[in-house]
Amino acid sequence: FVSGDPNKAVVSTQSTGGTGMRASVHIDLPGWTAEGLNALKARCEELKLQPRGTRGESGGQTGVTFDISNKHRLGYSEVELVQCMIDGVNTLFQEDLELQKKHGL
């Protein structure tokens, strides 16, 4: 919480202080959807990513489209955070192609 003027304030949660960089992409993951949401969440944890539904943090997941973002917000440069998201999404996409074959999609 930062204040100078009594009529103005800047408020930030602990997770969005610092760079507060959240890079995300919407991607269809039918293979991961067939594998199960818990499996996707576990894999994202390993990749330092966060899966969300396309309706936002609490909106839930619908269909096969996910909003995938970097999990960390603090302690890394903007370049590191965005690159983590790019690398992780590329990994999920390649894995999804194999999962589609596994599930006959």
Side-chain angles (χ1 to χ4, degrees), residues 14-88:
Q14 292 174 349
S15 67
T16 58
T19 64
M21 174 69 73
R22 179 182 177 272
S24 70
V25 66
H26 284 191
I27 184 170
D28 289 347
L29 297 172
W32 277 110
T33 302
E35 193 73 6
L37 184 56
N38 287 336
L40 176 61
K41 286 181 179 180
R43 183 61 175 130
C44 283
E45 182 71 27
E46 295 170 354
L47 296 170
K48 299 178 183 152
L49 299 175
Q50 181 179 46
R52 296 180 179 183
T54 55
R55 294 181 181 171
E57 187 173 357
S58 59
Q61 185 262 341
T62 59
V64 298
T65 307
F66 292 87
D67 178 320
I68 306 291
S69 64
N70 52 296
K71 180 179 178 182
H72 299 292
R73 309 284 194 268
L74 298 173
Y76 300 89
S77 72
E78 290 88 344
V79 171
E80 290 172 309
L81 294 173
V82 172
Q83 193 62 56
C84 177
M85 187 273 302
I86 291 169
D87 293 343

